[in-house]
Amino acid sequence: QVQVMESGGGSVQAGGSLRLSCAVSGYAYAFCSAAMSWYRQAPGKEREFVSAIGTDGSTTYQDSVKGRFTVSQDGAKKPVNLQMDSLKPEDTAMYYCNSRGVGAGWCLFDQWGQGTQVTVSS
């Protein structure tokens, strides 16, 4: 079973920074290629895409976080990080990490972590 766990959430003042981390384990994850991504969900709103990093190191970001957030991975199968700088109150949400296997058979997985809370005060 693929297991995903986020960490690093907390409460900060506007303009502050937080660094989230997503660790993934499991035989399928170790064997298969996987795309990693971050989503967030604020109360009363739908879950929205934040950022993603591909196996080739390519990154994508939601427009509202471009220039402020940076997604990175220090090596294959290593934890994925989300460095969040210049945080705004509107960034307040539960942040979720997603690991999606690419391929077929055992590589067909789409696993979510339980989330880590980020709260930004004005």
Side-chain angles (χ1 to χ4, degrees), residues 6 14 23 28 31 33 39 43-45 51 57 63 68 70 76-78 87-88 91 95 97 102 117-118:
E6 308 94 336
F31 177 78
S33 296
Y39 286 73
K45 297 183 178 180
S51 182
D63 287 343
R68 300 189 298 118
T70 303
K77 310 303 179 182
K78 298 296 183 180
L87 284 163
K88 304 175 180 179
D91 293 319
Y95 283 70
C97 179
V102 178
Q117 179 67 40
V118 171

Side-chain angles (χ1 to χ4, degrees), residues 30-107:
F31 177 78
C32 307
S33 296
M36 304 295 298
S37 61
W38 288 94
Y39 286 73
R40 66 186 181 186
Q41 186 170 25
K45 297 183 178 180
E46 295 184 6
R47 187 172 299 185
E48 65 177 359
F49 172 79
V50 176
S51 182
I53 185 167
T55 57
D56 61 351
S58 62
T59 58
T60 55
Y61 299 92
Q62 181 198 111
D63 287 343
S64 67
V65 307
K66 289 181 179 178
R68 300 189 298 118
F69 290 12
T70 303
V71 65
S72 64
Q73 188 173 30
D74 291 332
K77 310 303 179 182
K78 298 296 183 180
V80 174
N81 303 307
L82 183 67
Q83 178 67 42
M84 306 185 294
D85 298 318
S86 301
L87 284 163
K88 304 175 180 179
E90 49 263 46
D91 293 319
T92 295
M94 184 72 75
Y95 283 70
Y96 298 90
C97 179
N98 172 258
S99 180
R100 180 178 296 173
V102 178
W106 295 112
C107 295

